[in-house]
Amino acid sequence: MEEKNKENRQRLMDAFASEDFQKEIYQYRSDIELELTKFLEWMQEELKPSQKIFHSPESRIKSKTGFNEKISRKDYVNKWDLSGDIRSIQEEILKELSDLIGFRITCYFMDDEEDIYRGLHRYYQQIGFQNIELNFDEGTEQANGHKLYKVSGHYKGKVSFELQIKAMVHNVWGEVEHKTIYKGRQYAVDSNRQQTVTEEIFNILKASDKQLLALFTYEYTKEDMIYGLFAEQTKDRIAKIADTDYLAVHYKGFFGIFSAVFYTAILKFVSNTLVDQPYTKEAAIMARPDSRAEKLASCIKKEFVEYYLQVQYGIAQEVYNFTDYEEFIVYLAQTLIGKGGLAEEEEDAVPAEEDAFSDAEDDESPAEDDIEVFLNLLADKLPGARKGRK
């Protein structure tokens, strides 16, 4: 019996390794891939713009080493009919080896795997393949508890294959798990630890997938686009002022502080630049400085590193004319007061002298805690700019 098994095993390996048989398998792979590509072309039209898939499936043919391992693990020597000639054995391999040819549809994000799986099922029922039959009854739950969207198939009723739908991140983790856990080459005393680490890698990759999806699907507003163009058009000049190409924090701070008062001017600047028209700067519209703004301006110069303020001044100078740096700092103080909801009262407000609860001295100068509110607001917009704070 043992001798017969060895003989059959060798016949299996010889039949599989035959050069002509390998060429035949490669041709089948090409034919199946062509039909699956038609589905992918259809699927491209069904997905949302934010959902992306590769235009052609990836594929692989079971290697000789993999085939040798599997016929032992699955006991195919005793399960398959190997009584015929080499061609009949090859036909048995084609029909019964479920993963002889593997195909993979790759998408960008894990959340899209199920949509593509459902799309494949819909396509199969409503349109159908010319020579492919698929089985959707295998389920999607793996032994490790993770989802795997996979179907088995037959081509022309005689060639088995499997089709997986995986996101790029899922592919990375699958390779790690397959090589370290599923197909570990030897027993390792720390196998449990390896499995724990592998699971942690999956969680990290899954979190990364979510973050990348959030970035990819973020819908930019008109203001986002305008600010991005403004930064692109002015970055070379601002880089000289800042003495660095790392300008994101400076522009982000500027837009956070001045978006409301500078937006119209920035829009005009960008529009003119795009059509190669000169942009004429106007003087910044400033309220008449009062003691509140002047005191806050003094505190800003004292509390903040001048480098950061000079860069903000440089960006502001791209769209407005300021007499000098000192005037800009007062303008900055007035803007912060306005953002803090403590701007000068409107003309129709009750005059201070008619308000029985008002304090004339308090109106002339902001309380110390008000000053701190404004300084904290500026520090939030310009991280690292306030002295003594990281």
Side-chain angles (χ1 to χ4, degrees):
M1 184 67 175
E2 183 178 349
E3 190 65 30
K4 183 65 174 177
N5 282 346
K6 286 183 178 179
E7 180 184 338
N8 284 338
R9 181 186 183 85
Q10 188 59 51
R11 295 180 72 214
L12 258 177
M13 290 301 302
D14 290 343
F16 182 80
S18 165
E19 184 177 345
D20 288 341
F21 184 57
Q22 288 295 313
K23 288 180 180 178
E24 182 182 0
I25 298 173
Y26 271 88
Q27 184 59 53
Y28 283 133
R29 179 174 74 168
S30 179
D31 294 342
I32 298 169
E33 185 174 306
L34 186 61
E35 288 214 41
L36 292 177
T37 299
K38 294 177 182 177
F39 159 69
L40 291 177
E41 291 172 353
W42 175 86
M43 195 70 219
Q44 294 278 1
E45 301 297 323
E46 297 292 307
L47 293 173
K48 301 173 185 176
S50 61
Q51 296 176 305
K52 303 291 183 182
I53 53 176
F54 287 23
H55 293 285
S56 59
E58 300 175 83
S59 61
R60 65 103 185 98
I61 293 173
K62 177 74 75 177
S63 67
K64 295 175 185 177
T65 300
F67 180 75
N68 184 43
E69 182 272 336
K70 192 155 190 175
I71 61 176
S72 295
R73 180 163 52 87
K74 295 291 187 177
D75 195 28
Y76 289 147
V77 170
N78 292 305
K79 290 180 179 179
W80 288 353
D81 180 8
L82 307 177
S83 60
D85 59 13
I86 189 170
R87 182 56 195 169
S88 67
I89 294 175
Q90 289 172 345
E91 290 175 351
E92 188 82 358
I93 294 171
L94 289 173
K95 185 177 180 180
E96 300 297 335
L97 187 59
S98 60
D99 61 345
L100 172 63
I101 310 173
F103 293 92
R104 184 164 61 202
I105 294 173
T106 303
C107 55
Y108 280 22
F109 303 108
M110 294 174 69
D111 282 355
D112 297 335
E113 292 175 345
E114 183 176 0
D115 286 346
I116 297 168
Y117 177 81
R118 293 182 181 278
L120 178 63
H121 195 221
R122 190 166 67 253
Y123 180 89
Y124 183 68
Q125 290 182 321
Q126 298 176 3
I127 300 174
F129 295 97
Q130 185 175 353
N131 295 298
I132 289 177
E133 294 180 358
L134 296 178
N135 176 17
F136 289 86
D137 296 331
E138 296 187 17
T140 58
E141 192 79 19
Q142 293 179 275
N144 58 19
H146 300 149
K147 290 282 187 180
L148 175 62
Y149 294 95
K150 180 179 74 170
V151 297
S152 58
H154 280 88
Y155 178 68
K156 292 186 175 181
K158 60 181 180 180
V159 182
S160 295
F161 68 91
E162 69 173 22
L163 173 63
Q164 297 181 359
I165 300 169
K166 280 189 173 185
M168 291 186 290
V169 165
H170 207 162
N171 282 340
V172 173
W173 176 79
E175 291 296 323
V176 171
E177 185 197 42
H178 195 68
K179 291 181 179 179
T180 60
I181 303 299
Y182 179 65
K183 281 198 172 182
R185 294 187 179 276
Q186 59 186 18
Y187 175 75
V189 295
D190 64 343
S191 58
N192 288 336
R193 181 175 179 273
Q194 286 183 10
Q195 191 160 3
T196 299
V197 171
T198 303
E199 193 66 21
E200 290 173 353
I201 291 172
F202 176 78
N203 292 331
I204 293 170
L205 290 172
K206 190 174 181 180
S208 299
D209 178 87
K210 293 289 186 184
Q211 293 168 345
L212 288 170
L213 176 61
L215 286 173
F216 189 79
T217 57
Y218 178 78
E219 294 185 1
Y220 291 94
T221 65
K222 175 185 175 182
E223 288 76 15
D224 290 329
M225 299 303 294
I226 295 299
Y227 293 150
L229 287 169
F230 173 73
E232 181 65 26
Q233 292 163 352
T234 59
K235 65 180 182 181
D236 291 340
R237 293 185 293 275
I238 302 306
K240 292 180 180 179
I241 297 172
D243 197 27
T244 180
D245 291 329
Y246 297 98
L247 302 174
V249 67
H250 298 293
Y251 278 110
K252 184 178 180 181
F254 180 81
F255 298 139
I257 297 166
F258 295 110
S259 58
V261 293
F262 270 50
Y263 178 73
T264 301
I266 290 175
L267 177 58
K268 184 178 178 181
F269 177 94
V270 169
S271 300
N272 285 21
T273 306
L274 287 175
V275 296
D276 293 325
Q277 292 292 324
Y279 172 75
T280 303
K281 291 191 286 185
E282 300 177 356
I285 301 174
M286 293 181 60
R288 190 166 152 188
D290 62 3
S291 60
R292 171 164 41 189
E294 290 174 346
K295 183 173 182 180
L296 178 56
S298 176
C299 290
I300 289 172
K301 289 191 293 182
K302 180 180 178 181
E303 292 280 340
F304 284 79
V305 177
E306 184 178 351
Y307 166 79
Y308 290 90
L309 301 176
Q310 287 284 0
V311 176
Q312 294 296 303
Y313 175 45
I315 300 174
Q317 283 279 70
E318 290 288 330
V319 286
Y320 281 130
N321 272 325
F322 290 91
T323 303
D324 53 25
Y325 172 71
E326 297 295 328
E327 183 182 65
F328 168 74
I329 296 299
V330 174
Y331 185 87
L332 171 60
Q334 291 180 335
T335 302
L336 291 171
I337 291 171
K339 289 179 75 67
L342 296 174
E344 291 292 329
E345 295 177 326
E346 299 294 335
E347 292 181 2
D348 59 350
V350 178
E353 61 268 24
E354 295 180 10
D355 184 352
F357 296 96
S358 67
D359 186 320
E361 291 185 359
D362 286 345
D363 287 340
E364 289 298 320
S365 179
E368 291 300 326
D369 55 348
D370 287 344
I371 288 288
E372 190 61 26
V373 167
F374 299 133
L375 295 177
N376 286 335
L377 177 59
L378 183 58
D380 288 341
K381 302 300 181 183
L382 301 178
R386 195 168 184 183
K387 296 176 181 177
R389 297 194 181 184
K390 293 183 180 180

